[in-house]
């Protein structure tokens, strides 16, 4: 599976590139699911692969669709490689590592938007510039969505509309995206005509 | 100072009215004459439309830096109620406190200068004494010392000032909306948008990006100088005089869009005008946006013949994407039908003043 291509969208919607090696004291890689393939591609491009691997820390978790390529990453031979069972269990480790990360650290994020967005949020909260963070989307396009009404976040939204997992309102999914929340916005679809809810369709796979 | 205003102030000038429940808000005949009608011609499309925010025609909303009108006390009571229900409507990221002090200074100095009968500010070094007579506030505090005010400086002063406010930090050649007091918004969420760049928070606006409006506006605003504020209009339509059309509460107010008829259109449908003014702040170098909302009932606006003719033509001919974005596409034909009775087809004069 290669880099995901998204249709053009509004300007708050994140855009993704292709990971490329950059000189750095530490290479911090955070990935999920099919993002593992972006990581192996990244290291294949390194001019001095052994030296890059010696200063690489990989934090990985399976994707929302169950894709688990942790064995591929473990086989790379990075200085540190960790598999977390879920994104919520991955984040405390990332936050701990960020405390010791110095300027000159290069960040590589790969996989789904939920993983990339939350890792980017935590990295930027520590003050690293966005220019030190590379992002490549691979795999599932399910969305992390905040309900604008109750503020609850629903993970892995596949359909539009969907039911908020917190307050139960039927929400349509906007492209409007908050990097601070690492979430798209969900808005009540039948607010003006209560009960008139369009057929839910799978929009994010 | 949550709901503990002492407004013995409804004495003649300030109206005692509501923006919720029984919706008793209305404009006096004098208020209608000074309504900031935003259309200077018979059609509308986006433009950057910024001009210097200098003192304008006497009695108009442009006369003073921060217009205080007959709705002041009731609007501040409404804001306090919104904040009591949802404190997330006022947020300020930690690095924005100095910009909050800048804004507090700007507003206090402006109001004390422009409305000495209602506001006074005296300074003894950093020891300041602020009196807000309409709201019954008498406060002595130390400028730049947060511990001497009941709220942070931004929340303190914007609880006493009509209009929404956001504060933009300037970094990386961009403006970042890092604080806001947003309780009279046209359907956008501060809680979602706080921390966004200029292009990000404007992302949902249709058509304007393609026209390069936001590129030009950002370039213009990055050059904004202290002491040389600018202003522009924006507008939309709102059913009932509801200041707080927030996405958070959309399920509560959304259904009102299905309650319109030719019989109630004049009273229920409101032209919602935002007078947006932008100020460069001196210490923080942040940019303050004030987004002042004026509500005019259709039946009030058509008492000015020029405005009745023009409003009909603008509503009838507006690009459907804009009508959809502004939330009135479903009612547009009915609105145009009601307004058509006030359009005799005669030409209108250029400009927005009522009788020019």
């Amino acid at each position: 599976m290669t880099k995901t291509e998204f249709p053009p969208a509004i300007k708050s919607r994140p855009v993704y590139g292709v990971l490329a090696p950059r000189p750095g004291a530490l290479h911090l890689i955070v990935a999920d699911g099919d993002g593992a393939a972006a990581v192996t591609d990244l290291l294949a491009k390194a001019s001095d692969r052994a030296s890059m691997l010696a200063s690489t820390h990989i934090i990985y978790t399976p994707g929302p669709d169950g894709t688990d390529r942790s064995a591929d990453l473990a086989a790379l031979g990075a200085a540190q490689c960790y598999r977390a069972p879920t994104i919520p269990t991955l984040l405390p480790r990332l936050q701990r590592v960020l405390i010791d990360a110095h300027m000159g650290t290069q960040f590589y994020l790969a996989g789904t938007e939920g993983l990339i967005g939350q890792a980017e949020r935590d990295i930027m909260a520590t003050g690293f510039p966005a220019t030190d963070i590379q992002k490549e989307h691979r795999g599932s396009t399910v969305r992390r969505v905040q309900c604008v009404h109750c503020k609850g976040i629903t993970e892995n939204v596949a359909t539009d509309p969907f039911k908020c997992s917190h307050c139960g309102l039927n929400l349509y999914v906007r492209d409007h995206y908050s990097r601070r929340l690492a979430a798209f916005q969900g808005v009540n679809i039948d607010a003006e005509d209560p009960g008139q809810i369009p057929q839910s369709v799978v929009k994010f796979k | 100072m949550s709901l503990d205003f002492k407004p013995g102030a409804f004495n003649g000038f300030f109206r005692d009215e509501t923006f919720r429940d029984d919706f008793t808000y209305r404009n006096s005949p004098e208020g209608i004459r000074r309504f900031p009608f935003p259309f200077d011609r018979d059609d509308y499309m986006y433009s950057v439309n910024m001009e210097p925010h200098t003192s304008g025609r006497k009695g108009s909303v442009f006369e003073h830096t921060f217009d205080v009108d007959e709705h002041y006390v009731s609007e501040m009571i409404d804001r306090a109620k919104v904040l009591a229900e949802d404190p997330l409507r006022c947020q300020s990221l930690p690095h924005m406190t100095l910009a909050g002090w800048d804004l507090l200074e700007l507003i206090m100095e402006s109001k004390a200068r422009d409305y000495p009968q209602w506001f006074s500010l005296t300074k003894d070094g950093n020891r300041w004494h602020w009196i807000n007579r309409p709201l019954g506030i008498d406060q002595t505090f130390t400028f730049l010392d947060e511990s001497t005010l009941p709220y942070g400086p931004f929340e303190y002063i914007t609880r006493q000032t009509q209009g929404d406010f956001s504060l933009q930090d300037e970094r990386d050649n961009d403006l970042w909306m890092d604080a806001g007091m947003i309780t009279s918004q046209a359907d956008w969420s501060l809680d979602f948008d706080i921390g966004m760049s200029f292009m990000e928070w404007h992302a949902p606006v249709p058509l304007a990006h393609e026209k390069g409006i936001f590129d030009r506006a950002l370039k213009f605003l990055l050059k904004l100088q202290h002491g040389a504020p600018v202003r522009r209009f924006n507008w939309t339509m709102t059913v009932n005089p509801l200041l707080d059309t927030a996405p958070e509460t959309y399920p509560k107010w959304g259904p009102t869009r299905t309650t319109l008829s030719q019989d109630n259109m004049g009273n229920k449908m409101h032209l919602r005008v935002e007078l947006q003014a932008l100020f460069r702040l001196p210490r923080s170098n942040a940019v303050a946006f004030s987004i002042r909302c004026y509500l005019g009932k259709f039946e009030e606006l058509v008492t000015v013949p020029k405005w009745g003719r023009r409003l009909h033509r603008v509503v009838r001919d507006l690009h459907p994407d804009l009508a959809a974005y502004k939330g009135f596409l479903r009612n547009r034909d009915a609105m145009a039908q009601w307004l058509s009775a006030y359009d005799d087809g005669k030409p209108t004069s250029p400009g927005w003043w009522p009788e020019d």
Side-chain angles (χ1 to χ4, degrees):
Chain A
M1 184 172 290
T2 56
K3 170 182 179 293
T4 310
E5 299 294 341
F6 292 102
I10 65 171
K11 294 199 174 192
S12 57
R13 197 227 184 291
V15 292
Y16 303 95
V18 176
L19 301 184
R22 286 185 190 160
L26 169 67
H27 302 278
L28 185 54
I29 297 173
V30 186
D32 76 345
D34 288 305
V39 177
T40 51
D41 289 354
L42 165 73
L43 281 149
K45 285 183 257 182
S47 56
D48 186 348
R49 178 183 164 95
S51 142
M52 184 170 175
L53 279 168
S55 54
T56 291
H57 185 166
I58 301 172
I59 307 176
Y60 178 80
T61 188
D65 56 1
T67 304
D68 183 355
R69 298 178 182 274
S70 52
D72 297 354
L73 297 181
L76 290 170
Q80 287 171 275
C81 184
Y82 175 76
R83 177 193 180 278
T86 59
I87 293 176
T89 58
L90 174 154
L91 293 173
R93 182 184 178 100
L94 171 62
Q95 288 154 8
R96 174 64 188 87
V97 170
L98 287 171
I99 292 172
D100 291 340
H102 300 295
M103 282 299 160
T105 299
Q106 290 296 330
F107 299 94
Y108 307 88
L109 315 180
T112 65
E113 296 203 271
L115 180 277
I116 292 174
Q118 291 176 84
E120 182 184 37
R121 174 197 64 196
D122 289 356
I123 294 165
M124 293 189 73
T126 61
F128 284 97
T131 47
D132 289 351
I133 306 172
Q134 297 184 63
K135 302 177 286 185
E136 180 170 340
H137 191 281
R138 298 261 189 142
S140 173
T141 59
V142 291
R143 290 188 173 190
R144 182 177 146 88
V145 183
Q146 190 211 35
C147 172
V148 75
H149 312 292
C150 79
K151 308 300 178 189
I153 286 179
T154 302
E155 304 282 354
N156 303 328
V157 171
T159 64
D160 187 16
F162 74 100
K163 197 180 269 285
C164 174
S165 61
H166 300 266
C167 69
L169 283 175
N170 288 284
L171 309 179
Y172 67 94
V173 182
R174 300 182 78 193
D175 280 339
H176 198 31
Y177 182 88
S178 163
R179 286 196 280 175
R180 187 183 68 93
L181 299 169
F184 290 93
Q185 188 175 66
V187 180
N188 189 201
I189 196 164
D190 59 334
E192 296 186 19
D193 305 282
Q196 289 186 35
I197 302 154
Q199 183 68 38
S200 190
V201 294
V202 175
K203 207 162 155 188
F204 318 110
K205 291 182 181 172
Chain B
M1 193 185 74
S2 52
L3 289 171
D4 57 344
F5 295 131
K6 302 172 206 66
F10 297 127
N11 50 3
F13 182 73
F14 296 111
R15 300 177 53 82
D16 184 0
E17 60 193 0
T18 57
F19 299 86
R20 55 181 67 215
D21 305 323
D22 56 351
F23 292 112
T24 59
Y25 169 91
R26 61 186 300 281
N27 289 294
S28 68
E30 300 74 31
I32 296 171
R33 300 295 294 178
R34 75 193 297 279
F35 189 83
F37 190 76
F39 306 113
D40 62 353
R41 66 196 71 186
D42 288 354
D43 54 60
Y44 176 81
M45 182 35 80
Y46 287 126
S47 62
V48 178
N49 70 328
M50 278 195 256
E51 61 174 16
H53 186 41
T54 49
S55 183
R57 194 181 281 200
K58 193 165 163 45
S60 75
V61 302
F62 307 120
E63 182 179 4
H64 298 309
T65 306
F66 296 98
D67 181 41
V68 178
D69 69 6
E70 61 188 357
H71 309 297
Y72 174 56
V73 175
S74 291
E75 279 192 42
M76 293 301 94
I77 291 172
D78 193 69
R79 166 159 292 164
K81 288 179 178 171
V82 172
L83 291 170
E85 287 166 13
D86 183 1
L88 292 173
R89 305 298 190 80
C90 180
Q91 298 190 48
S92 179
L93 298 183
H95 59 279
M96 297 306 283
T97 304
L98 183 61
W101 283 112
D102 277 334
L103 182 69
L104 175 143
E105 175 188 57
L106 173 66
I107 292 176
M108 286 186 177
E109 289 186 345
S110 301
K111 285 188 167 178
R113 178 191 65 227
D114 295 339
Y115 301 98
Q117 71 277 33
W118 294 328
F119 306 97
S120 106
L121 178 66
T122 49
K123 300 180 187 175
D124 177 9
N126 268 355
R127 202 66 189 152
W128 291 20
H129 182 202
W130 165 248
I131 299 173
N132 178 335
R133 291 184 190 88
L135 297 186
I137 293 167
D138 185 317
Q139 181 87 44
T140 303
F141 63 99
T142 303
F143 187 66
L144 299 178
D145 180 353
E146 271 188 277
S147 69
T148 60
L149 284 176
Y151 297 96
F154 175 65
E155 179 167 354
Y156 180 79
I157 197 58
T158 53
R159 278 179 178 264
Q160 302 178 45
T161 309
Q162 287 165 281
D164 284 353
F165 283 84
S166 67
L167 297 176
Q168 281 63 227
D169 191 29
E170 181 171 334
R171 310 187 296 275
D172 306 330
N173 227 20
D174 206 337
L175 294 173
W176 303 82
M177 186 168 56
D178 288 344
M181 166 65 91
I182 307 294
T183 67
S184 55
Q185 68 283 254
D187 199 9
W188 64 278
S189 169
L190 170 72
D191 183 57
F192 194 80
D193 287 3
I194 191 171
M196 288 190 185
S197 71
F198 190 81
M199 293 303 166
E200 284 176 332
W201 91 72
H202 285 116
V205 182
L207 305 176
H209 289 276
E210 295 82 341
K211 292 174 186 294
I213 299 280
F214 292 121
D215 290 320
R216 293 206 296 282
L218 177 59
K219 266 184 203 147
F220 183 88
L221 292 177
L222 288 170
K223 291 186 198 134
L224 190 65
Q225 296 291 309
H226 177 236
V230 297
R231 66 180 170 230
R232 68 179 290 265
F233 279 134
N234 198 4
W235 66 277
T236 186
M237 298 285 178
T238 300
V239 180
N240 292 327
L242 178 65
L243 281 173
D244 181 30
T245 48
E248 279 79 0
T249 53
Y250 178 44
K252 288 184 191 160
W253 55 265
T256 61
R257 288 177 171 166
T258 64
T259 61
L260 294 164
S261 67
Q262 293 300 304
D263 291 335
N264 65 19
M265 186 72 73
N267 181 258
K268 279 181 93 86
M269 187 55 88
H270 292 71
L271 175 61
R272 180 188 191 100
V273 176
E274 290 179 356
L275 176 56
Q276 304 180 345
L278 300 112
F279 305 84
R280 178 71 75 177
L281 300 176
R283 297 172 187 77
S284 58
N285 199 42
V287 172
F289 278 53
S290 80
I291 311 161
R292 172 67 179 277
C293 174
Y294 294 87
L295 293 167
K297 294 177 186 293
F298 272 20
E299 66 189 15
E300 294 172 342
L301 299 174
V302 299
T303 62
V304 177
K306 172 179 168 182
W307 293 352
R309 293 183 186 108
R310 180 163 289 169
L311 189 58
H312 169 244
R313 296 167 197 177
V314 169
V315 168
R316 180 192 63 196
D317 300 336
L318 188 71
H319 192 296
D321 287 1
L322 289 189
Y325 173 66
K326 291 174 185 290
F328 65 91
L329 188 58
R330 72 184 297 157
N331 290 311
R332 183 244 283 271
D333 291 346
M335 292 155 69
Q337 185 190 338
W338 189 89
L339 288 165
S340 67
Y342 301 90
D343 185 359
D344 54 13
K346 287 188 179 151
T348 55
S349 58
W352 52 56
W353 301 107
E355 59 288 88
D356 286 355

